[in-house]
Amino acid sequence: MNGRVNIGLVGCGGRGRYVARGLVEAGANLTYLCDLHPGELEQTWDFLSDVMQKKPALVKDMRTVINSPDVDAVAVVTPTHWHALPTILACRAGKDVYVEKPLCNNIWECRKMVEAAAKYNRIVQVGTQNRSAPYIKEALDYVRSGNLGKISLVKVYNLKTGKPFHLGPAEAPPDGFEWDKWVGRAPKRPYHTSIFEGGWENFWDFAGGDMTDDGTHQLDLALMFMGDPGLPKSVRSLGGRFAHRGDDSETPDLAIYNWEFDDFVLTFEHSNYPKYMRKTTGTIRRNAVLPYWTHNSTRIELYGSELMMTIGRMGGGWIVQEEGGGVVEKHFGRVPDAWHYENFLDCVKTRKLPNADIAMSNVSYVIMEMANIAHRVGNTLLHFDPASRRFDNADADALLKSTYRPGYEIPDPV
């Protein structure tokens, strides 16, 4: 392909408009904006108008974007439960895809997305952009050097602030907003502003909580540092609504998960309440500064037999420490989004595999969903067969796939 890549954006919420702007600044040509909410369409164009000369077509039906000859690739930046279907349909239509994380809303959908990318030979980049960060590649080289020794324990943290979630009263949807289509394959429910404005993350019908929405970044990096070992053979869960008990959220505000691989154990600690825990700040990400790791809410720790490495995601850098806490190596880090967009556009042109190719990057989502399932069936131990992607528990297997309302089914075969 010569010239600029024509992109159609499906999903014009806050993250969608930032992804669109990043792709435009990386050299893409944005031809379509698509959203079920007319207000989101206009707000996104206002946000983009200073970096674009020509206004994209504003549409509400994603199929208009997917089937347009003026679209080379589709950016899917919707709520999680709407990631799978447009990705699969775009692949079938011969379009490449940039799809935000978390990849989808159940393990079966994940497999269908991977199958579609392979069947139609499409470039599908997952929005786990840390895989494109130069400082992460430097850390990976250090791990591969063997200086840490044998790594048998990896700890991942997603210890964030939070507050109770309350639905509030049901309301009439905004004028022109097709709420029932937004709900999509999930069971019908009345409109609540609190759900539309990000609260959907609190419900299993739409997402997997902040664990999958944000924690997937750290888990994906942990797997990358361990050589992308594939799926684990077991998962354990402990968690629930401890800090905000009695509110309307279905997902844990405190959870501890661990997965057993052949050669190491991976742990994940999640919270949504301590006010002193913070993600790496913008000031740290823009400057030669390291986080105060003890109160960094999204760090990854690699426990080698010789040395320990602590890594920040989305910037923040990394350090290597010896006995007594002495720092033997340190590197600062920057936000990786621009490199990730550039990598996607380059791969659309060259047909090389992107840094976060779906065939590899889907695993971080699958292991997070394994943990959510272990929590939902009673905070238990589940053994898992990576080949069949099935558990040793019938109740857990029942959660591998969601129920789909007529008109919103995922095609099978893709």
Side-chain angles (χ1 to χ4, degrees), residues 1-6 71-73 94 96 122 345-351:
M1 175 187 294
N2 295 318
R4 301 175 73 187
V5 176
N6 290 331
V71 171
D72 302 309
D96 298 319
R122 306 322 306 165
L345 297 177
D346 179 65
C347 291
V348 169
K349 296 177 181 179
T350 65
R351 314 313 295 171

Side-chain angles (χ1 to χ4, degrees), residues 80-344:
T80 306
H81 70 296
W82 265 111
H83 284 179
L85 184 57
T87 296
I88 292 168
L89 294 179
C91 288
R92 294 177 74 174
K95 314 297 185 184
D96 298 319
V97 180
Y98 183 100
V99 57
E100 262 297 340
K101 56 78 212 162
L103 188 57
C104 52
N105 200 34
N106 62 67
I107 291 175
W108 180 84
E109 279 185 357
C110 182
R111 173 168 281 187
K112 296 296 111 179
M113 296 169 79
V114 173
E115 288 176 1
K119 180 175 180 178
Y120 300 104
N121 194 29
R122 306 322 306 165
I123 300 297
V124 180
Q125 174 95 298
V126 182
T128 44
Q129 60 266 53
N130 293 283
R131 287 183 178 257
S132 293
Y135 82 96
I136 292 296
K137 294 177 182 178
E138 293 169 349
L140 184 60
D141 288 341
Y142 193 93
V143 171
R144 287 172 174 168
S145 74
N147 288 337
L148 298 184
K150 178 175 172 51
I151 303 169
S152 297
L153 174 63
V154 180
K155 292 186 177 183
V156 174
Y157 296 91
N158 195 58
L159 298 171
K160 296 169 62 180
T161 62
K163 58 185 179 181
F165 175 79
H166 297 288
L167 272 174
E171 308 157 75
D175 290 343
F177 178 34
E178 299 183 53
W179 167 248
D180 190 59
K181 287 186 179 179
W182 185 97
V183 173
R185 62 120 182 102
K188 287 178 175 286
R189 66 162 65 223
Y191 174 80
H192 290 82
T193 298
S194 58
I195 293 180
F196 176 68
E197 294 182 348
W200 48 268
E201 290 183 359
N202 292 278
F203 297 95
W204 300 121
D205 282 340
F206 302 129
D210 190 65
M211 299 89 69
T212 56
D213 183 64
D214 225 12
T216 302
H217 280 303
Q218 294 94 280
L219 281 168
D220 189 67
L221 274 180
L223 295 175
M224 182 182 182
F225 284 117
M226 297 306 293
D228 287 307
L231 294 168
K233 52 191 179 183
S234 71
V235 60
R236 293 165 176 82
S237 168
L238 173 65
R241 299 298 286 182
F242 283 85
H244 308 305
R245 186 167 289 162
D247 69 352
D248 295 321
S249 178
E250 296 175 349
T251 63
D253 59 21
L254 181 66
I256 300 174
Y257 305 133
N258 61 67
W259 300 264
E260 181 186 4
F261 291 81
D262 286 338
D263 297 320
F264 68 97
V265 171
L266 172 62
T267 73
F268 180 95
E269 297 185 15
H270 164 79
S271 71
N272 283 129
Y273 73 89
K275 62 178 62 178
Y276 47 83
M277 299 301 295
R278 288 284 185 268
K279 295 197 289 187
T280 308
T281 67
T283 300
I284 290 172
R285 294 171 181 177
R286 290 190 297 268
N287 295 283
V289 182
L290 291 172
Y292 176 62
W293 292 111
T294 304
H295 283 180
N296 183 273
S297 63
T298 53
R299 66 193 188 274
I300 303 106
E301 297 175 348
L302 307 180
Y303 288 79
S305 57
E306 305 300 320
L307 298 167
M308 172 186 173
M309 175 183 279
T310 304
I311 310 115
R313 53 73 144 175
M314 307 296 288
W318 51 276
I319 61 171
V320 176
Q321 293 172 279
E322 60 186 354
E323 181 181 358
V327 176
V328 299
E329 190 82 25
K330 66 179 179 181
H331 285 257
F332 307 112
R334 301 291 186 268
V335 177
D337 296 55
W339 291 294
H340 207 51
Y341 302 139
E342 291 169 3
N343 174 250
F344 174 64

